[in-house]
Amino acid sequence: MARQKDTADTASTADSAGSADTARHRLTYAFDAYCGWCYGFGPTIREFAEANAGRIELTVLSGGLFTGPRARPVSAYPYIPQADARIGELTGAVFGPGYARAFADGTAVLDSAAAATALAALRAQAPERTLEFAGALQRAWYVDGRSLSDPETVRTVAAGLGGVDAAAAVAAFADPATRRAAEAEFREVRRLGVDAFPTLLLHTPGGLRRLGGPTTSARGLTRALDQH
């Protein structure tokens, strides 16, 4: 699991869920597009969300794993390939040849603010597809090795999604307001007390409860949901 270095200490009951929709379970999924564990967890969270679509309200937030002084070239993180091997072993995730080439080159910068801005730009057109968009961005990096800071990556991802205006997505990516919205997500994730990714939170009248972990199956997440 990827951990955030600089986060506020917040109790697990920091969020009041008293106003949550009583007809559905309210959940928040905190992830980062440059988090390998989130990439490995992606198929699981999508399967879980689809299986429980009629009874959950899921919000997807970018967490800001590589920001500020941590937004550095991949060459600054020599431990990542070993971590990726472990992720693949435990989740079945496949890291593609494009990603291997990008890592070998070493110049691609892990900038979570840019990646979160890309997600926000796509979300603007279809908020209900945010989880799908998050997966598409992660595949662009972890399979194809495309930098999530590059507007052409946003264009390519949007063009491949169907029902998304690629030109509008690129324009939104360049809009400072989209960047501010992405950075607001980082603050919300910290407010919720999240310091590791991926994290799936259930909002309850008694506060926040974490569901599962990065190797939990979709059925395991559903069982955990049923127990609350």
Side-chain angles (χ1 to χ4, degrees):
M1 178 179 296
R3 292 194 172 274
Q4 201 173 33
K5 298 298 184 182
D6 299 312
T7 54
D9 290 331
T10 310
S12 63
T13 56
D15 188 88
S16 172
S19 61
D21 183 354
T22 56
R24 290 174 178 249
H25 296 285
R26 180 181 166 212
L27 297 109
T28 295
Y29 175 50
F31 96 115
D32 192 274
Y34 280 123
C35 165
W37 282 107
C38 298
Y39 172 60
F41 188 62
T44 294
I45 186 65
R46 290 190 291 273
E47 181 184 347
F48 166 76
E50 183 177 356
N52 294 281
R55 64 184 188 129
I56 66 171
E57 177 186 325
L58 180 65
T59 298
V60 180
L61 296 177
S62 295
L65 182 60
F66 295 99
T67 59
R70 286 176 53 78
R72 302 173 65 189
V74 292
S75 58
Y77 298 99
Y79 64 84
I80 287 181
Q82 183 177 358
D84 290 341
R86 182 65 172 161
I87 292 165
E89 177 186 344
L90 293 177
T91 69
V94 176
F95 296 84
Y99 172 68
R101 287 192 296 270
F103 216 97
D105 176 72
T107 60
V109 175
L110 301 179
D111 183 349
S112 292
T117 302
L119 180 59
L122 294 169
R123 176 197 284 127
Q125 296 191 42
E128 73 282 1
R129 296 175 64 187
T130 303
L131 194 60
E132 175 191 355
F133 298 157
L137 287 171
Q138 289 214 289
R139 287 189 295 274
W141 170 240
Y142 283 108
V143 176
D144 301 327
R146 292 179 174 272
S147 169
L148 303 183
S149 298
D150 187 347
E152 285 307 307
T153 299
V154 177
R155 186 186 305 278
T156 299
V157 169
L161 284 167
V164 176
D165 185 324
V170 173
F173 180 66
D175 189 338
T178 309
R179 177 82 170 213
R180 291 193 294 271
E183 292 172 345
E185 292 184 42
F186 299 164
R187 293 191 292 274
E188 176 64 6
V189 166
R190 290 195 295 270
R191 187 188 73 80
L192 293 173
V194 175
D195 65 354
F197 309 106
T199 290
L200 181 62
L201 296 173
L202 173 66
H203 298 249
T204 77
L208 297 175
R209 298 290 182 268
R210 179 170 179 153
L211 293 187
T215 60
T216 305
S217 68
R219 292 180 65 181
L221 292 175
T222 296
R223 286 195 297 270
L225 179 65
D226 289 342
Q227 291 170 3
H228 291 280

